[in-house]
Amino acid sequence: MLRGIDSRCAACGAPRSLLSAPNVSLAGQPSRVGGLLMSLVGSSVLVLGLATSAGLWFLLQSLAPSRSFGWAFAIPTFAVSLLAGLALLISGRRLRNSGTAHRQGVQLEAVRAFVQHRRGPISAADVAGALQLPEPEVESLLTRLAREHATAVTLDVDARGQVVYDFEGEERRWRVLEEDAAAEEAEASRTAAQKRGFS
C-alpha cells in the first residue's frame, strides 16, 4: 500500500520495498490508463477517418463529378480508419478489463492478508480505513472471501449497524466448546475422585 512516497504492508503496516509485492494503490493502473488512452486514440482515428474520407469524397467529386475518383479514395480511407479505430477500441477495452481484474486480484489478496493478520472479527469500515479503499469495494471483497470459506465464517452486526465478519468464528466456537467439554470432564472426574475418597 502506498501512502505518499512511503510503501507499507497492507496487513501489518510494516515498511516494505515498492517492488517486493504488487501495490494496492497502483495495481492495474498502467493497464487501465493505457487502455483508456488506446480507446481515446481509437475514437479519434474513427472520427478523423470518417471526416477525411467525407472530405476527400466531396473534394474529388466536386472536381470531377462524372468520374468516381471521390469514391475510389474515400472508401479505402474510411475502411482503413474503421478497421484501425475498431482495433484500438477493442484492444483498449481488453487492456482496461485486464487492469481492473489485476487490481481486484491484488485488493483481494491484500484483504485476505489483513484478515489473516487481524485474526478476529472485522468490518468493511476497518479494512477500508486500513487499506485506503472505498468501503463498497471492500464489502464485496469480504463477501467474496466469506463465500470461499462459507463453513468457517460467522457474520454479526455491531452496535453501529455494520456487518462484522469473523473468519475464525466457527473454529473459535468449536475450540471453546471443546475446552468447555474438557473442563466439564475434568470437573466430573475430580468430583468422582472426591466421592471415592470420602467413601
Side-chain angles (χ1 to χ4, degrees):
M1 182 174 57
L2 198 61
R3 291 178 177 166
I5 57 170
D6 187 22
S7 181
R8 297 196 167 269
C9 174
C12 63
R16 69 177 183 114
S17 167
L18 271 172
L19 303 176
S20 62
N23 195 293
V24 176
S25 306
L26 302 176
Q29 282 297 101
S31 297
R32 295 169 71 199
V33 172
L36 181 60
L37 289 176
M38 285 180 76
S39 298
L40 289 174
V41 171
S43 301
S44 302
V45 166
L46 281 175
V47 171
L48 290 174
L50 178 61
T52 303
S53 62
L56 282 172
W57 185 82
F58 280 117
L59 177 65
L60 294 174
Q61 284 302 111
S62 63
L63 292 175
S66 60
R67 307 264 181 178
S68 304
F69 289 132
W71 292 106
F73 283 94
I75 290 175
T77 303
F78 177 72
V80 169
S81 60
L82 180 65
L83 289 174
L86 287 177
L88 286 167
L89 285 173
I90 291 170
S91 300
R93 189 173 73 177
R94 285 181 179 168
L95 197 56
R96 283 200 316 274
N97 289 342
S98 78
T100 301
H102 178 63
R103 180 171 179 258
Q104 288 176 347
V106 170
Q107 288 177 347
L108 183 65
E109 288 305 312
V111 171
R112 182 180 283 122
F114 190 84
V115 165
Q116 290 173 351
H117 180 74
R118 178 68 68 92
R119 300 183 67 85
I122 195 168
S123 70
D126 298 333
V127 182
L131 301 183
Q132 297 178 346
L133 293 173
E135 195 169 326
E137 286 185 22
V138 173
E139 189 75 49
S140 67
L141 292 170
L142 284 171
T143 303
R144 188 169 160 189
L145 274 179
R147 286 183 185 148
E148 290 178 8
H149 309 282
T151 57
V153 181
T154 59
L155 299 177
D156 201 358
V157 178
D158 64 7
R160 297 173 294 176
Q162 294 181 332
V163 177
V164 177
Y165 299 79
D166 192 349
F167 287 85
E168 295 184 354
E170 199 65 29
E171 181 183 337
R172 190 179 297 111
R173 182 182 298 166
W174 283 111
R175 196 163 53 238
V176 169
L177 289 174
E178 288 172 0
E179 289 172 359
D180 289 346
E184 287 175 6
E185 189 177 334
E187 182 66 28
S189 61
R190 192 164 42 255
T191 304
Q194 286 175 353
K195 286 180 181 178
R196 281 197 302 271
F198 284 125
S199 61

